[in-house]
Amino acid sequence: MSTGTEFESKVVQVGDHRIHMKIAGGTGPLVLLVHGWPESPHSWRHQMRALADAGYQVAAIDQLGYGRSSKPTAVDETRITTRVATTAAVVEALGAETAVVIGHDWGAAVAWTCAWTRPDVFTAVVGLSVPFGGRGLMALPGSPRGEIRPSEIERRIAGPDRVWYQQHISEVPGLVERDLERDVRGFLTAAYYTVSASFLEPVPELRTFDEIAGWLRGTGLCVSPGTPWSSYYVQPEKLPDWLTEEDIDAYTEQYEQTGFAGPLSSYRTNDLDWELLGELAGKTLDVPALYIGGDRDPCTIWGRDAIAIFDEVAPRNHGCVIVPECGHWIQQERPDEVNRAVLDFLAAVQP
């Protein structure tokens, strides 16, 4: 399996920002990979080699605020429209006119929005974990296309005695950063384990908003006031087979150097992003699209409303692949299934 160390690093200047990436492959069509939180280009190590071997030019970027990319200091500098513009500029900086964009977690929200708002650049899209959510980005239950302001639907999900984790991150700037940075390696190890199928139990059939919200309230996604977020994550007795000490080393080195303030900034722009994308409410996603979810991933569970209307909101979609016995870290937990689905999709959409 790929370790990620064999890929070349590249830095490009796009407008006011510096974007670092790992690149592989040659002269084939460009595939741009956008990681989630708390991850890095390393999370795409298995896909980069498979895509390069299939002839594609591959670039896995450090998102704004992460790794060796620029660290904007104002929260609104990491708004979704800036992330889309920066990602589109990366395509041009790499000498391409178009690209297929693939994202996971927050990277999926960026990837969907890139293809939704800039189909002239992003000609196809794959989203992992988080389904297409329109102006709402996170495809939350009860608001699959962003019908309701994010902070409002988050309050409804959490209920009167809990706080949705994204609101918890936003409430007191610096609070979560101090919590997580006390033991970066410990937090990352516990987070990767606790939100994977190595820890998560099979999820019962949940149909209504109240059923889904009730299940979410029993997870670390809904925080009791005054309780550190890190306390909801469990340390494994040993690492699962899909995650090595070398992988933890790679992530820990990055976050010990950069901290969590930049990476967490995207959680603090949810309402602003919703307002910025308001004029696009109801617009369909008009490029070929594929969704890949894990059957135990909380994002797949909360995104069931969005998955159910995928045919309606993405009329050129190539379906939804739900990977069995898989948690949140889909491309790392089940790389063979993800690679097969992505390569089949790319073969179908390439001219």
Side-chain angles (χ1 to χ4, degrees):
M1 286 190 175
S2 296
T3 64
T5 58
E6 74 269 31
F7 305 124
E8 178 186 349
S9 286
K10 185 181 181 69
V11 176
V12 297
Q13 191 71 28
V14 290
D16 295 331
H17 298 296
R18 177 188 69 256
I19 297 294
H20 167 258
M21 66 195 74
K22 293 285 190 176
I23 60 174
T27 58
L30 176 62
V31 179
L32 204 61
L33 305 174
V34 189
H35 66 79
W37 186 90
E39 294 176 282
S40 75
H42 185 78
S43 65
W44 297 109
R45 57 199 179 278
H46 306 302
Q47 288 67 49
M48 289 189 70
R49 180 50 55 208
L51 288 164
D53 288 347
Y56 295 96
Q57 180 186 3
V58 190
I61 67 170
D62 268 322
Q63 286 212 62
L64 279 177
Y66 289 79
R68 292 171 54 191
S69 290
S70 293
K71 312 290 187 301
T73 55
V75 168
D76 65 359
E77 289 184 89
T78 58
R79 65 186 71 179
I80 188 64
T81 49
T82 299
R83 291 184 184 275
V84 169
T86 301
T87 309
V90 167
V91 176
E92 182 179 0
L94 291 174
E97 295 183 355
T98 62
V100 175
V101 61
I102 302 176
H104 170 253
D105 183 76
W106 253 109
V110 173
W112 292 125
T113 312
C114 282
W116 187 40
T117 63
R118 292 298 307 274
D120 56 316
V121 176
F122 301 101
T123 56
V125 57
V126 182
L128 280 69
S129 181
V130 175
F132 175 58
R135 69 184 293 203
L137 299 182
M138 287 291 105
L140 292 173
S143 183
R145 298 190 70 177
E147 295 88 342
I148 301 170
R149 178 179 287 271
S151 57
E152 173 58 30
I153 194 64
E154 289 166 4
R155 283 191 290 270
R156 296 184 194 179
I157 293 169
D161 58 347
R162 298 237 173 179
V163 179
W164 183 247
Y165 76 105
Q166 296 187 18
Q167 285 191 305
H168 176 64
I169 290 168
S170 300
E171 283 181 341
V172 182
L175 177 65
V176 173
E177 289 90 326
R178 289 191 295 273
D179 173 26
L180 305 186
E181 289 173 15
R182 280 195 294 265
D183 179 8
V184 171
R185 187 182 188 87
F187 165 70
L188 292 173
T189 302
Y192 299 144
Y193 171 66
T194 307
V195 199
S196 77
S198 304
F199 176 82
L200 294 169
E201 298 290 335
V203 180
E205 185 65 31
L206 305 170
R207 298 182 182 277
T208 68
F209 174 84
D210 287 342
E211 289 173 342
I212 295 172
W215 180 81
L216 290 168
R217 288 173 195 145
T219 71
L221 299 172
C222 291
V223 182
S224 295
T227 303
W229 191 30
S230 62
S231 67
Y232 289 90
Y233 295 95
V234 177
Q235 289 292 338
E237 293 183 2
K238 66 174 185 176
L239 291 180
D241 292 342
W242 60 270
L243 186 67
T244 68
E245 292 289 352
E246 290 74 19
D247 296 328
I248 299 294
D249 289 342
Y251 291 123
T252 300
E253 180 180 6
Q254 169 173 310
Y255 284 97
E256 284 184 343
Q257 290 177 351
T258 66
F260 287 98
L264 288 172
S265 63
S266 56
Y267 291 106
R268 295 174 171 135
T269 63
N270 287 350
D271 279 358
L272 173 62
D273 293 339
W274 184 81
E275 292 169 0
L276 291 170
L277 296 173
E279 64 183 19
L280 298 174
K283 181 182 182 298
T284 55
L285 172 66
D286 295 326
V287 303
L290 175 70
Y291 171 70
I292 304 175
D295 66 343
R296 301 185 192 181
D297 181 0
C299 299
T300 303
I301 306 307
W302 84 45
R304 287 180 177 177
D305 290 350
I307 293 169
I309 62 171
F310 197 39
D311 286 344
E312 173 189 338
V313 300
R316 298 179 64 190
N317 82 79
H318 286 234
C320 299
V321 176
I322 306 299
V323 182
E325 299 180 20
C326 183
H328 181 63
W329 319 105
I330 302 169
Q331 74 270 33
Q332 300 182 77
E333 292 184 55
R334 302 296 288 272
D336 292 342
E337 290 91 332
V338 170
N339 292 348
R340 183 162 52 248
V342 167
L343 289 170
D344 287 347
F345 173 73
L346 292 175
V349 301
Q350 294 302 316

